[in-house]
């Protein structure tokens, strides 16, 4: 390590006094002007991580669905997965170290993580369309260069595209070609193969309106459009040419406000969808003939995919184990439909993509989606090998055809991370193959009315949860109170959990009718306020 060079460069990216940040599920996220030193240091960390695992590491500069003034950074591990939890701690230490301690902290990380300094390091970088992203990714490059790492800058890419690149590079191209063309070709080829049956059976043109959140999704979809079959017509809105990123649009806005984004005119029963700012989440929606808005969230996306995969697995006749992974926020109707009607095992885990991804890896086919529209499907190595073999060698026509459809699904799905582009194509292919309208998809089950509230507390740590965050262990008496409140309403449940980022407690309630869900959520909020140290005025109904 060249100590003089490190000192010189660190001085160009000084840490603001008194600023401490925490590396969480989303990496680091805050106001863009506070991030220069963090970017430089994550460049350093990526080099260390690369040397430790002797693989290419990714760095994505984005703050996803946050406002345009914010930015953030996250590291991507060798197979396109999120950074290993033990390294999240190193990231936090390195980001918060004072300038003069930088070298000491790097040496400590090398010792703790057994980093061989003599190994080569290779890092790939991507960024979203925020005004601050280009300059911040330059700071990342400074960090990589000062420790002698090699880098490739992919420039403007969606977050899932960067995850894909990392996986391709570390599997020597087995997962695909590590270029944007490689990504577009792999996905569009699988998509075209899938829907050509529905097109040949006289399917007319397929129109889809897409709200791109004024983000990177618009740029990448317009690059990808020439690769699509001519019958598939996508119409891009909020493409970033006029308005601000994520402002009154995008998947998060639509999901939270339960209304269409600005700048997209919906005619009755048209299929529409929204990406978030870095294109790793998607939700669908439509207006019915009476003008009512209907949201199709991650739970319903997971259900559609599960119905389709279950039918195919049954046709192939293999004993492959499939499961769906959800969090406590998943609508009770979706859980009931999956378990009771579809007879697919459902597992509930703590909130956060890493918990869902980890659990889904336990099955031959693991489907996971958060209600917010972030999710994907994982296929075990054994399942993938078996499916590809059957698609090639199976004598029985029906079984072989089903295996071929599954094989194309494997190629169309971005297994590294939730990917709005990939998920959109999966959904469009399934709707086409099953001949479903958006209304028929929505009618698979009816969501239970629900309400999500926040309660300000003095210290969020007073609440501790168990059973995948569905039960409150502390403070004493809170869970008993919730249980008593839940008993008052039909088909009801409620849970509380501390926010991961601020001193608020999130309250979720559902019941047979909206006024009951609202009442239950309010009563639980009051219980939290009184038993867990509420701040300010008590929650109002």
């Amino acid at each position: 390590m060249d100590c003089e060079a490190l000192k010189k460069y660190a001085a160009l990216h000084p840490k603001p006094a008194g600023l401490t940040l925490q590396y969480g599920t989303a990496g680091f996220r805050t106001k863009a002007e506070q991030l220069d030193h963090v970017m430089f240091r994550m460049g350093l960390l990526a080099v260390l991580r690369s040397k430790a695992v002797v693989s290419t590491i990714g760095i994505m500069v984005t703050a996803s669905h946050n406002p345009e003034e914010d930015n953030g950074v996250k590291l991507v591990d060798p197979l396109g997965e999120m950074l290993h939890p033990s390294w999240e701690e190193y990231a936090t230490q390195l980001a918060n170290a004072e300038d003069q301690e930088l070298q000491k902290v790097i040496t400590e990380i090398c010792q703790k993580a057994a980093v061989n300094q003599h190994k080569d390091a290779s890092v790939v970088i991507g960024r979203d369309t925020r005004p601050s992203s280009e300059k911040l990714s330059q700071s990342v490059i400074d960090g990589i260069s000062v420790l002698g790492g090699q880098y490739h800058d992919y420039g403007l890419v969606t977050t899932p595209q960067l995850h894909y690149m990392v996986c391709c590079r570390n599997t020597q191209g087995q997962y695909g070609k590590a270029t944007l063309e490689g990504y577009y070709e792999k996905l569009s080829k699988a998509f075209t193969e899938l829907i050509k049956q529905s097109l040949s059976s006289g399917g007319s043109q397929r129109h889809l309106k897409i709200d791109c959140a004024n983000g990177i999704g618009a740029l990448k979809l317009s690059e990808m459009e020439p690769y699509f079959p001519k019958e598939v017509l996508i119409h891009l809105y909020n493409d970033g040419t006029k308005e601000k990123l994520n402002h009154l649009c995008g998947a998060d806005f639509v999901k939270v406000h339960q209304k269409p984004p600005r700048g997209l005119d919906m005619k009755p029963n048209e299929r529409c969808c929204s990406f978030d700012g870095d294109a790793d989440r998607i939700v669908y929606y439509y207006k019915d003939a009476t003008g009512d808005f209907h949201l199709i969230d991650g739970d319903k996306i997971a259900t559609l995919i599960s119905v389709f995969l279950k039918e195919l697995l049954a046709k192939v006749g293999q004993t492959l184990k499939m499961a769906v992974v959800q969090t406590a926020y998943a609508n009770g109707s979706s859980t009931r439909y999956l378990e009771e009607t579809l007879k697919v095992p459902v597992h509930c885990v703590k909130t956060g993509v890493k918990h869902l991804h980890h659990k889904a890896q336990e099955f031959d086919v693991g489907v996971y989606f958060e209600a917010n529209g972030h999710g994907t499907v994982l296929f075990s190595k054994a399942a993938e090998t078996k499916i590809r073999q059957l698609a090639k060698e199976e004598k029985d026509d029906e079984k072989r055809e089903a295996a071929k459809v599954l094989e194309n699904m494997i190629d169309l799905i971005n297994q590294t991370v939730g990917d709005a582009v990939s998920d959109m194509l999966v959904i469009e292919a399934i709707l086409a193959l099953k001949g479903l309208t958006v209304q028929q998809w929505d009618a698979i089950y009816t969501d239970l009315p629900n309400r999500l509230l926040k309660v300000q507390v003095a210290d969020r740590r007073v609440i501790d949860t168990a059973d995948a965050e569905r039960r409150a262990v502390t403070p004493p008496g809170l869970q008993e109170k919730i249980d008593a409140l839940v008993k008052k309403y039909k088909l009801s449940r409620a849970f509380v959990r501390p926010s991961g980022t601020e001193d608020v407690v999130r309250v979720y309630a559902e019941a047979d009718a909206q006024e009951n869900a609202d009442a239950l959520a309010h009563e639980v909020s009051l219980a939290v306020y009184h038993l867990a140290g509420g701040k300010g005025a008590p929650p109002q109904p």
Side-chain angles (χ1 to χ4, degrees):
M1 177 164 59
D2 182 343
C3 308
E4 283 314 304
L6 181 65
K7 254 195 206 135
K8 192 180 100 188
Y9 270 91
L12 298 174
H13 304 284
K15 174 178 163 313
L19 180 70
T20 53
L21 295 167
Q22 176 84 32
Y23 193 103
T25 303
F28 291 111
R29 262 187 216 172
T30 184
K31 293 273 169 278
E33 61 270 15
Q34 299 184 325
L35 278 168
D36 179 64
H37 70 295
V38 174
M39 297 293 173
F40 171 67
R41 292 164 183 214
M42 289 308 99
L44 302 174
L45 191 74
V47 170
L48 302 182
R49 180 70 180 147
S50 174
K51 288 175 188 251
V53 291
V54 198
S55 304
T56 296
I57 295 296
I59 291 194
M60 186 68 201
V61 177
T62 181
S64 188
H65 53 274
N66 281 33
E68 191 174 275
E69 312 59 77
D70 291 0
N71 218 323
V73 59
K74 47 191 171 185
L75 272 67
V76 179
D77 255 0
L79 292 178
E81 69 278 62
M82 294 163 76
L83 182 64
H84 192 277
S86 63
W87 280 72
E88 288 184 7
E89 254 172 76
Y90 301 149
T92 301
Q93 284 167 9
L94 196 56
N96 295 325
E98 293 308 325
D99 291 342
Q100 61 278 12
E101 298 174 333
L102 212 46
Q103 209 170 318
K104 184 172 124 252
V105 175
I106 291 173
T107 308
E108 276 170 18
I109 293 171
C110 289
Q111 283 164 351
K112 278 191 209 148
V115 177
N116 181 345
Q117 299 253 26
H118 301 296
K119 292 273 185 223
D120 288 338
S122 132
V123 183
V124 294
I125 311 153
R127 65 174 193 271
D128 71 10
T129 55
R130 290 163 197 273
S132 59
S133 291
E134 189 169 3
K135 189 168 176 298
L136 289 174
S137 74
Q138 200 46 59
S139 305
V140 170
I141 290 172
D142 281 354
I144 297 167
S145 307
V146 77
L147 288 186
Q150 297 292 311
Y151 69 89
H152 179 85
D153 183 5
Y154 280 102
L156 292 164
V157 286
T158 69
T159 294
Q161 284 175 336
L162 188 79
H163 284 254
Y164 164 89
M165 302 301 177
V166 173
C167 187
C168 291
R169 282 172 173 256
N170 289 314
T171 55
Q172 285 62 59
Q174 261 179 298
Y175 190 67
K177 282 216 301 271
T179 61
L180 278 171
E181 292 71 35
Y183 173 92
Y184 298 144
E185 277 162 11
K186 180 181 172 177
L187 268 62
S188 59
K189 179 170 173 279
F191 176 66
T192 307
E193 283 293 312
L194 279 168
I195 74 159
K196 68 174 184 212
Q197 285 161 289
S198 76
L199 294 175
S200 62
S201 60
S204 60
Q205 289 183 325
R206 301 192 59 82
H207 289 268
L208 175 65
K209 290 184 167 177
I210 308 167
D211 154 34
C212 298
N214 289 311
I216 185 72
L219 285 179
K220 299 298 134 181
L221 275 177
S222 44
E223 286 174 11
M224 191 174 185
E225 203 172 358
Y227 293 85
F228 292 154
K230 61 180 184 307
E231 295 83 357
V232 175
L233 296 165
I234 59 171
H235 308 276
L236 306 184
Y237 296 83
N238 296 320
D239 63 0
T241 50
K242 297 194 249 327
E243 295 287 339
K244 277 174 75 163
L245 177 71
N246 295 324
H247 181 58
L248 302 179
C249 62
D252 203 55
F253 173 85
V254 173
K255 167 80 177 143
V256 171
H257 297 279
Q258 307 268 328
K259 64 180 191 188
R262 188 160 113 181
L264 188 150
D265 56 317
M266 296 164 71
K267 295 189 179 63
N269 299 324
E270 280 185 329
R271 263 194 335 284
C272 306
C273 68
S274 282
F275 288 10
D276 71 337
D278 64 339
D280 64 359
R281 291 184 188 184
I282 184 170
V283 295
Y284 269 70
Y285 44 92
Y286 67 98
K287 257 186 190 153
D288 62 24
T290 58
D292 285 338
F293 176 81
H294 295 258
L295 175 75
I296 299 180
D297 65 5
D299 299 336
K300 231 166 221 174
I301 294 172
T303 305
L304 177 73
I305 294 172
S306 302
V307 168
F308 186 69
L309 293 178
K310 175 128 203 257
E311 285 170 7
L312 288 171
L313 290 168
K315 279 184 189 159
V316 169
Q318 293 294 311
T319 52
L320 294 173
K321 265 176 54 187
M322 174 173 153
V324 177
V325 187
Q326 297 182 325
T327 70
Y329 288 115
N331 195 279
S333 292
S334 72
T335 314
R336 205 165 287 130
Y337 178 82
L338 288 163
E339 289 183 328
E340 293 169 17
T341 309
L342 206 55
K343 304 271 187 278
V344 169
V346 177
H347 297 267
C348 186
V349 297
K350 278 167 42 172
T351 308
V353 179
K354 58 184 171 189
H355 302 297
L356 290 141
H357 193 90
H358 189 72
K359 186 70 184 173
Q361 288 172 322
E362 293 176 20
F363 310 99
D364 292 313
V365 181
V367 180
Y368 76 82
F369 269 83
E370 290 189 294
N372 64 25
H374 186 285
T376 187
V377 185
L378 305 183
F379 294 85
S380 70
K381 263 283 153 263
E384 186 175 329
T385 307
K386 188 83 212 153
I387 288 163
R388 292 197 192 276
Q389 183 193 348
L390 291 168
K392 252 215 300 281
E393 297 164 12
E394 175 58 55
K395 300 282 182 282
D396 179 286
D397 285 353
E398 196 194 13
K399 280 187 181 176
R400 189 179 63 254
E401 284 312 306
K404 276 189 182 162
V405 174
L406 277 169
E407 181 173 42
N408 283 313
M409 286 298 277
I410 291 173
D411 288 332
L412 183 52
I413 290 164
N414 186 342
Q415 293 185 58
T416 64
V417 70
D419 180 338
V421 175
S422 156
D423 290 337
M424 173 189 86
L425 295 174
V426 167
I427 292 162
E428 290 301 307
I430 295 173
L431 293 176
L433 285 167
K434 290 184 69 67
L436 289 173
T437 64
V438 68
Q439 305 86 307
Q440 289 168 320
W441 171 20
D442 189 28
I444 293 178
Y445 62 82
T446 305
D447 272 328
L448 281 171
N450 57 80
R451 178 65 63 207
L452 192 57
L453 296 175
K454 292 199 286 203
V455 184
Q456 296 268 325
V457 290
D459 181 2
R460 66 181 184 270
R461 290 169 302 190
V462 299
I463 292 202
D464 198 17
T465 62
D467 186 25
E469 301 177 317
R470 289 176 290 190
R471 315 263 321 152
V473 186
T474 61
L478 178 59
Q479 188 57 51
E480 290 71 17
K481 182 76 180 150
I482 294 171
D483 290 342
L485 292 168
V486 164
K487 284 202 178 87
K488 291 166 52 180
Y489 303 98
K490 286 202 188 90
L491 294 176
S492 64
R493 70 184 180 101
F495 67 91
V496 303
R497 58 179 284 272
S499 155
T501 48
E502 48 186 335
D503 279 321
V504 300
V505 174
R506 301 191 192 282
V507 173
Y508 178 88
E510 59 186 34
D512 59 342
Q514 189 63 55
E515 56 270 28
N516 292 344
D518 289 348
L520 178 57
H522 175 62
E523 288 163 357
V524 172
S525 297
L526 282 174
V528 169
Y529 180 83
H530 291 301
L531 293 169
K535 244 173 76 174
Q540 296 303 306

